[in-house]
């Protein structure tokens, strides 16, 4: 059993099943996540308890193949015990460090502009493999924010992502508060509807990238399955029921989705939702052929004119291929 896969209640069940007092789960969480003590060194547990736990629980972190660090952004290439690789990124903001967590090996969504989308989906990452990305990066910096925005589509791996958020938000463990976790999805509507099942708060970001179905179908195949109307309805319901402000992500692609007309359509589409638009400068990838917009200032101004809260996403890590859409877990 991998310790980092276990939300607190599952660790409690596991201890009970193994004849241990389930109250020890909190001790384990506190010692391992907060105090960073290894199991063998936890003084409040008896030698016998530790021995029996060590027999069945594993704490091994993934092997770090490389870390590239440009001082502001660090990217780690990690190898899991089954040989699969993933990447995780640390961003040093002025207000604290954030980790961008990958959720799958590869990705099945095939967005036209994204390098990760060119990889085949090999498998889901487990909750523990997501937690371990934070633990690896916390050896470089104290982590203040977690973005579930790395390789993979988190809502195509709902159960593990649910456990992951529950583990990292436990007050006995890493205790990330709801304003310190952001989950980004390309729009798997039935799973957006299930988000309230997750015990632990987070902010929701939605990769929109186009204001109409025709264009979005071309850029993001997921839109053919769940169109903009159903996506917007699900997001609106989530925002209202959870009292949450939604971030709509919008990559500006030269000549594709960046006209002032598009900006007007976008404003119309999201009208009435408690939200803001996060404009993303496009990071050019090896194979996509899209280019960065030259019209981003006019697009921004038009959205502002329409009364939409809008910000530009700050760029991180493009020099070490660690920016949005550039992760591919290659050596
Ligand atoms: N699958 C999730 C999370 C991963 S992508 C999602 O789609 O939201 C995180 C963000 O980076 C998404 O908004 C994605 O659309 C964006 N992105 C992908 N490729 C990009 C690129 N080449 N340049 C800039 N942003 C990109």
């Amino acid at each position: 059993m991998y310790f980092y896969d276990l939300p607190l209640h599952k660790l409690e069940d596991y201890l009970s099943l193994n004849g241990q007092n389930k109250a020890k789960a909190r001790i384990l969480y506190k010692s391992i996540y907060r105090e960073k003590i290894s199991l063998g060194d936890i003084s409040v547990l008896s030698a016998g308890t530790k021995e029996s736990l060590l027999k069945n629980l594993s704490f091994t972190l993934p092997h770090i193949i490389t870390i590239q660090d440009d001082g502001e952004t660090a990217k780690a290439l990690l190898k899991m015990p089954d040989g699969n690789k993933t990447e995780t990124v640390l961003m040093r903001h002025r207000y604290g460090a954030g980790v961008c967590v990958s959720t799958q090996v590869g990705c099945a969504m095939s967005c036209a502009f994204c390098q990760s989308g060119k990889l085949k989906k090999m498998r889901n990452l487990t909750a523990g493999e997501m937690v371990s990305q934070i633990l690896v990066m916390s050896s470089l910096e104290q982590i203040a924010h977690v973005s579930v925005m790395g390789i993979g589509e988190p809502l195509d791996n709902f159960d593990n992502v649910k456990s992951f958020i529950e583990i990292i938000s436990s007050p006995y463990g890493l205790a990330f508060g709801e304003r310190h976790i952001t989950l980004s999805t390309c729009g798997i509507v039935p799973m957006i509807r299930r988000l309230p099942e997750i015990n632990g708060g987070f902010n929701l970001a939605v990769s929109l990238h186009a204001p109409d179905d025709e264009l979005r179908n071309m850029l993001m195949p997921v839109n053919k399955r769940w169109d903009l109307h159903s996506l917007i309805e699900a997001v609106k319901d989530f925002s209202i029921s959870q009292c949450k402000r939604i971030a709509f992500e919008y990559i500006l692609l030269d000549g594709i989705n960046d006209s002032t007309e598009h900006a007007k359509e976008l404003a119309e589409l999201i009208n009435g939702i408690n939200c803001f638009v996060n404009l993303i400068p496009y990071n050019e990838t090896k194979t996509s052929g899209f280019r960065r917009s030259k019209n981003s200032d006019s697009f921004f101004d038009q959205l502002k004119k329409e009364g939409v809260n809008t910000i530009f996403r700050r760029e991180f890590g493009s020099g070490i291929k660690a920016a949005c859409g550039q992760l591919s877990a290659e050596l």
Side-chain angles (χ1 to χ4, degrees), residues 18-134:
N18 287 278
Q20 303 274 354
N21 182 341
K22 70 175 195 178
K24 286 176 186 156
R26 291 182 183 183
I27 297 176
L28 284 169
Y29 250 56
K30 194 160 155 260
S31 307
I32 286 163
Y33 286 122
R34 295 184 80 96
E35 290 156 7
K36 315 242 177 275
I37 304 173
S38 58
L39 175 60
D41 296 330
I42 302 176
S43 54
V44 290
L45 297 179
S46 72
T49 301
K50 288 190 273 202
E51 199 185 318
S52 86
L53 289 177
L54 272 171
K55 242 185 257 157
N56 300 310
L57 281 179
S58 127
F59 296 85
T60 315
L61 292 177
H63 171 66
I64 303 172
I65 303 174
T66 51
I67 293 193
Q68 291 167 272
D69 193 340
D70 68 9
E72 186 177 65
T73 311
K75 177 170 83 167
L77 179 62
L78 306 175
K79 189 166 162 187
M80 269 87 57
D82 69 353
N84 273 306
K85 289 179 218 154
T86 192
E87 277 180 328
T88 183
V89 176
L90 173 93
M91 292 156 290
R92 299 179 180 93
H93 298 273
R94 273 188 306 277
Y95 49 85
V99 175
C100 183
V101 171
S102 293
T103 55
Q104 296 179 315
V105 179
C107 182
M109 298 297 120
S110 304
C111 296
F113 43 78
C114 180
Q115 191 64 29
S116 311
K118 303 278 180 290
L119 309 163
K120 252 186 38 213
K121 176 179 145 190
M122 305 304 287
R123 69 168 173 87
N124 288 327
L125 292 180
T126 70
E129 287 169 335
M130 296 177 225
V131 174
S132 65
Q133 295 173 45
I134 300 176

Side-chain angles (χ1 to χ4, degrees), residues 5 7 10 103-104 109 121 123-128 130 148 152-167 183-185 187-200 202 204 226 238 242:
D5 276 333
K10 287 210 179 135
T103 55
Q104 296 179 315
M109 298 297 120
K121 176 179 145 190
R123 69 168 173 87
N124 288 327
L125 292 180
T126 70
M130 296 177 225
V148 190
E153 167 48 44
L155 298 191
D156 184 34
N157 183 12
F158 185 86
D159 292 339
N160 292 347
V161 167
K162 174 178 188 290
S163 295
F164 166 64
I165 291 178
E166 292 176 357
I167 293 164
L183 182 150
S184 177
T185 179
I188 305 208
V189 169
M191 296 301 146
I192 294 176
R193 297 219 169 265
R194 284 186 59 195
L195 286 174
E197 290 173 25
I198 299 178
N199 300 309
F202 54 89
L204 180 63
W226 296 288
F238 176 83
Q242 308 299 304

Side-chain angles (χ1 to χ4, degrees), residues 113-114 149-150 152-153 184-186 207 209 249 251 282-283 324-325:
F113 43 78
C114 180
M149 294 194 191
E153 167 48 44
S184 177
T185 179
C186 66
S207 294
H209 308 323
E249 297 160 286
I251 305 175
Y282 184 56
N283 298 307
C324 301

